[in-house]
Amino acid sequence: MDLRIKEEIIQLFEQHFQEEMTAFEVLPPSGSYREYCRMKSKKHQAIGAWNHDVKENMAFIEFSKHFRKEGVSVPEIYQVNEAKTCYLQEDLGNLTLFDYLSRTRELEGFSEKIINVYKKVLLELPRLQITAGKGIDYSYCYPRAAFDKQSMMWDLNYFKYYFLKLAKIPFDEQALEDDFQNFSDYLLAAESDFFLFRDFQSRNIMLHDGKVAFIDYQGGRKGALQYDLASLLYDAKADIPQAVRNELLEFYLDELEKYIEIDRAEFKAYFTGYVLIRIMQAMGAYGFRGFYEKKEHFLKSIPFALENLSYLLENNNIPIKLPELFQVLKEVSQSEFLKKIGKQKGKLTVRVCSFSYKKGLPQDPSGNGGGFVFDCRAIHNPGRYEEYKQLTGRDQPVIDFLQTNSEIGPFLSHVRALVDQSVSMYLSRGFTHLSVSFGCTGGQHRSVYAAEKMANYLRENYPVNVVLTHREQDF
């Protein structure tokens, strides 16, 4: 984050809370070009955001104010700078629906516990779309006030030029354009006087204080109910089993009928269409970020999207003919090149965990039973000092303390040497799970720092899937 931007965000924080900031953490980049940070003082914490696109910022800020007035759980906007490029918002924590899904699934599969959280989300969705959507000022929508013909053609052409062409999928340009026109006309026939979140997926849904909350709706506009439902249930990386998708679809329709009358068969046909356009929009993004910008992690969602496409093509209930489009989608779903390109280079999952010895050793959900547990209690403890007690090993002041006033460097060098040997051997022998845990007194400072460093080291040096958990911080 640029120093000037950082200073401006810190000034917003200190002006609003009338307290000196004691911790500043730049958050990992999202799929957008916005920049985020987490700031803390003695009694408060908040998320700072910077974005040069003022219209997009104003959409988020005004929608947030409206949704809070309507009782929808979204972050409170605390402060906005004069140029409308920086703003301060409520911190809803670190636990997204996707994080919860991933961790719980590791332990018990796609269980009833996960399904029940999705049902909580679907209880809120019609209220967000219909009740809260009625009084919203759509003049703030950016870049379009509705998911209209032009919006659809943008998404479809995004798919064509950034996915089909870069993935070398053959197609008849004119025939595909004709199908795009017919397909968008069909979708536009669905009732669309509702709020469309636009990116309603598991990474934009927070689990906070036992409730679900929503973020990143700045792309919202008027549109059909089916689109957001498609975004949630066919979120590629969430990889919801098809039987569960069907169950959740019926649950949503039951809830929706408490608000409006619907024809279920017609709704489901439009739903299939909106699932397809949502998948194509997402694939366009994977192609642009992955093939064009060379950010390989965006390609890892492609195999999930291919599975979804295969199911939809086999269970197509759209009542219009789209021969070239469906031929192209069939080519995509059967492409061996695409099936291979997004897969993990290695099959080894390394679970890295920080924990407190006071609460016992962490469990190994893989059943492997092996791995390492490293004791960080011999390291100089920043938690003994008042200025660090409210911070964690992810906060810069604690990082600086450990790097300059402790033996953490040599300690981690020895740790890496041991872990390197196991990871190399596990990869060569095709093993699938390894655990590496770091414990300290409270599971807050030394162990968190060590786990973060180890996770980053593994990601940068080995073709492994890293699952990082801070047991005492994340739940």
Side-chain angles (χ1 to χ4, degrees):
M1 180 175 282
D2 180 87
L3 181 60
R4 178 186 58 80
I5 295 169
K6 180 179 177 179
E7 289 175 349
E8 189 163 9
I9 292 176
I10 292 172
Q11 186 178 19
L12 279 183
F13 181 92
E14 294 183 340
Q15 282 177 351
H16 181 76
F17 291 114
Q18 294 295 298
E19 279 190 340
E20 183 181 356
M21 186 204 69
T22 56
F24 185 95
E25 175 191 2
V26 176
L27 298 181
S30 63
S32 72
Y33 297 104
R34 293 181 298 278
E35 296 184 55
Y36 293 102
C37 62
R38 172 174 280 114
M39 291 171 289
K40 297 180 183 179
S41 62
K42 188 174 182 180
K43 296 180 181 178
H44 300 95
Q45 69 182 61
I47 299 294
W50 178 87
N51 180 13
H52 74 280
D53 194 328
V54 172
K55 289 183 178 179
E56 187 177 62
N57 293 341
M58 290 308 297
F60 180 76
I61 291 163
E62 293 302 322
F63 291 168
S64 297
K65 292 176 182 177
H66 175 78
F67 287 142
R68 284 187 68 84
K69 186 176 68 175
E70 294 294 325
V72 178
S73 187
V74 298
E76 181 179 353
I77 304 299
Y78 295 134
Q79 192 107 346
V80 183
N81 72 345
E82 188 175 346
K84 306 293 191 296
T85 54
C86 294
Y87 53 92
L88 197 65
Q89 67 185 62
E90 182 182 1
D91 187 350
L92 298 178
N94 293 312
L95 188 59
T96 66
L97 174 57
F98 180 76
D99 293 332
Y100 177 82
L101 163 65
S102 302
R103 294 169 189 171
T104 307
R105 198 171 196 167
E106 281 274 334
L107 292 167
E108 54 194 58
F110 208 101
S111 63
E112 281 298 318
K113 193 184 295 184
I114 297 172
I115 294 171
N116 287 336
V117 174
Y118 268 89
K119 287 180 177 178
K120 278 188 178 182
V121 175
L122 292 173
L123 284 172
E124 291 295 314
L125 181 55
R127 190 159 73 90
L128 177 70
Q129 295 172 310
I130 299 171
T131 307
K134 282 181 181 175
I136 206 161
D137 185 348
Y138 286 99
S139 68
Y140 284 104
C141 292
Y142 178 76
R144 303 287 293 174
F147 191 56
D148 54 12
K149 179 87 171 182
Q150 186 168 358
S151 300
M152 292 181 185
M153 295 307 295
W154 282 348
D155 284 356
L156 294 169
N157 284 309
Y158 193 42
F159 168 69
K160 178 169 68 174
Y161 292 116
Y162 283 108
F163 192 85
L164 293 182
K165 284 188 176 289
L166 295 179
K168 299 179 174 59
I169 302 294
F171 59 88
D172 181 313
E173 184 100 33
Q174 186 58 59
L176 186 59
E177 181 66 23
D178 291 342
D179 279 358
F180 280 174
Q181 295 290 335
N182 292 334
F183 183 43
S184 56
D185 286 342
Y186 168 70
L187 294 178
L188 287 168
E191 189 177 355
S192 59
D193 195 23
F194 309 102
F195 180 76
L196 187 152
F197 192 107
R198 179 60 169 164
D199 201 15
F200 196 72
Q201 44 102 347
S202 58
R203 287 179 177 82
N204 290 335
I205 298 169
M206 309 298 298
L207 305 184
H208 182 66
D209 291 340
K211 300 177 181 178
V212 296
F214 309 108
I215 59 172
D216 278 7
Y217 35 78
Q218 58 277 339
R221 62 198 73 178
K222 276 191 178 182
L225 297 168
Q226 289 88 345
Y227 189 94
D228 285 338
L229 185 63
S231 301
L232 181 69
L233 299 188
Y234 283 83
D235 180 1
K237 276 202 167 181
D239 193 26
I240 301 173
Q242 190 57 51
V244 176
R245 284 196 185 114
N246 295 338
E247 176 187 345
L248 293 174
L249 171 59
E250 296 299 334
F251 179 87
Y252 171 84
L253 293 178
D254 289 342
E255 189 63 24
L256 184 62
E257 287 180 328
K258 297 175 184 177
Y259 293 81
I260 58 174
E261 291 184 11
I262 57 169
D263 178 324
R264 286 200 175 214
E266 182 182 69
F267 186 98
K268 289 178 181 179
Y270 282 124
F271 176 67
T272 300
Y274 276 100
V275 170
L276 283 176
I277 197 170
R278 175 62 183 177
I279 289 175
M280 285 189 275
Q281 184 274 335
M283 288 180 123
Y286 304 154
F288 178 70
R289 293 303 184 99
F291 294 130
Y292 183 73
E293 293 189 334
K294 307 299 183 186
K295 297 178 179 178
E296 290 189 7
H297 63 281
F298 282 94
L299 301 177
K300 293 177 182 178
S301 294
I302 289 176
F304 300 108
L306 300 186
E307 291 179 17
N308 292 338
L309 269 182
S310 296
Y311 174 83
L312 291 164
L313 293 174
E314 291 170 8
N315 296 273
N316 175 34
N317 58 345
I318 298 175
I320 59 171
K321 299 295 183 183
L322 302 164
E324 183 65 15
L325 175 58
F326 277 90
Q327 179 58 38
V328 164
L329 295 178
K330 184 179 178 181
E331 293 272 355
V332 169
S333 70
Q334 295 178 351
S335 168
E336 291 300 321
F337 166 70
L338 291 174
K339 287 178 182 178
K340 291 176 182 176
I341 198 167
K343 290 184 178 177
Q344 292 281 354
K345 294 178 182 176
K347 296 182 180 179
L348 174 62
T349 293
V350 184
R351 298 183 60 83
V352 181
C353 178
S354 69
F355 69 95
S356 164
Y357 275 101
K358 293 178 181 179
K359 299 183 181 180
L361 298 177
Q363 294 182 335
D364 175 18
S366 72
N368 182 40
F372 300 94
V373 177
F374 295 105
D375 190 342
C376 300
R377 289 176 293 184
I379 305 298
H380 191 184
N381 183 12
R384 293 165 51 192
Y385 302 93
E386 188 64 36
E387 62 264 38
Y388 304 117
K389 285 186 177 179
Q390 303 303 316
L391 307 180
T392 77
R394 289 180 289 191
D395 293 317
Q396 195 61 47
V398 175
I399 292 170
D400 294 342
F401 177 95
L402 288 169
Q403 290 177 343
T404 58
N405 296 295
S406 82
E407 311 77 12
I408 198 78
F411 172 81
L412 286 177
S413 294
H414 295 308
V415 168
R416 283 194 293 269
L418 290 169
V419 174
D420 279 340
Q421 182 177 350
S422 288
V423 171
S424 297
M425 181 59 69
Y426 275 36
L427 284 171
S428 68
R429 297 184 63 185
F431 291 176
T432 57
H433 291 88
L434 175 68
S435 64
V436 182
S437 299
F438 296 89
C440 64
T441 307
Q444 181 178 343
H445 300 101
R446 296 164 291 180
S447 62
V448 168
Y449 174 90
E452 289 278 337
K453 286 293 183 183
M454 176 54 64
N456 288 337
Y457 173 76
L458 291 169
R459 289 181 182 123
E460 291 171 2
N461 290 278
Y462 292 100
V464 298
N465 178 36
V466 177
V467 178
L468 175 62
T469 304
H470 298 299
R471 192 182 71 180
E472 322 307 347
Q473 304 298 314
D474 291 346
F475 296 99

